[in-house]
Amino acid sequence: MTTIPLEGIAMTSFGHVLKDIRGARGLSQAALALSLDSTQRHVSFLETGRSLPTASYLARICRAMDLNIAQRVNLYDASGLANPYVQRDMRSGEIRDALDMIEKRVLRNWPFPALVLDPDWNVLRQNEAFTRFFEPLVPRGNEQINLLEVLMSDIFQTLIQNWDEAAGVLFFRLQRAAANSPRIARVLQTAQAQGRFSGMEQHLDGLTGIPVFLPIRLGLPGGPEIQISSLLGKLASTQDALIDGLEIEFMVPLDETSEQTMRALAVTA
């Protein structure tokens, strides 16, 4: 630990970032100090700029607060220490290779629609089943598909037979995503102002029990109704902030009829 003379004290960039992350995680200085096997005085010194962290102590902070890659990048950058987390560009060859690997090894082996989303829900990779299933719902002229635009479109919502139930699923998912995406936060705010989720509140008030799965009942144009949900995941060994911020979505049929219909669409669409 490096201690700064009293006359030179000023809250450092590191102190600001550490305090913000600690506050966002609902930790007091005392609680963080306990998890670090340290003292509240030491944490206070770090946040006010009285002390600066060593590389080993900063690694302990990251582990103690179980920070994601993006938070670690921010904390290392603010500390002035060498940042072990390389900040890559989404257009870099390494990121492109990682996305290609996910598409080839994962998405292509899923028989139903599957895709990779960035924090704004832009579709970075997709399998053939997704293309065939959702192509009619994508706004014309879009060079890149955005799942948010598809899900919030009037045409998609008219296909959902149980919108008041499904709205709750979409609302809470959007709420979580909005924490990392100003774009999604704006869309959610606009949708609420338009009353898109008003039926959800009435539905929640009338619930007497919560099912294990809430099927999204989708009425296909000129076809049968299917029941679907999604699995969400990411690579467990990610060490890059960009890849760590991506989400892999696998759409899942919830009954035999829906599975047969989705398999048939993937073959004949």
Side-chain angles (χ1 to χ4, degrees), residues 88-93 95-96 99 118-119 124 242-243 246:
R88 298 175 176 88
D89 186 273
M90 188 62 78
R91 295 164 296 182
S92 73
I95 297 297
R96 186 177 61 251
L99 289 169
D118 71 11
L124 302 180
L242 286 176
I243 295 296
L246 304 183

Side-chain angles (χ1 to χ4, degrees), residues 185-196:
R186 289 193 298 270
V187 170
L188 179 59
Q189 186 178 26
T190 300
Q192 286 181 279
Q194 293 172 343
R196 294 250 185 172

Side-chain angles (χ1 to χ4, degrees), residues 130-197:
F130 177 87
T131 302
R132 291 179 173 180
F133 197 83
F134 282 91
E135 188 173 30
L137 304 176
V138 176
R140 297 294 180 185
N142 284 25
E143 293 184 4
Q144 183 176 49
I145 300 174
N146 182 273
L147 186 64
L148 183 61
E149 291 181 6
V150 173
L151 298 184
M152 297 303 293
S153 67
D154 291 335
I155 183 173
F156 184 79
Q157 292 186 24
T158 58
L159 298 178
I160 299 178
Q161 306 301 296
N162 60 334
W163 171 252
D164 288 348
E165 293 178 305
V169 176
L170 179 58
F171 175 82
F172 293 117
R173 186 177 170 191
L174 285 172
Q175 198 173 49
R176 290 192 297 270
N180 299 309
S181 169
R183 177 182 181 181
I184 292 180
R186 289 193 298 270
V187 170
L188 179 59
Q189 186 178 26
T190 300
Q192 286 181 279
Q194 293 172 343
R196 294 250 185 172
F197 298 105

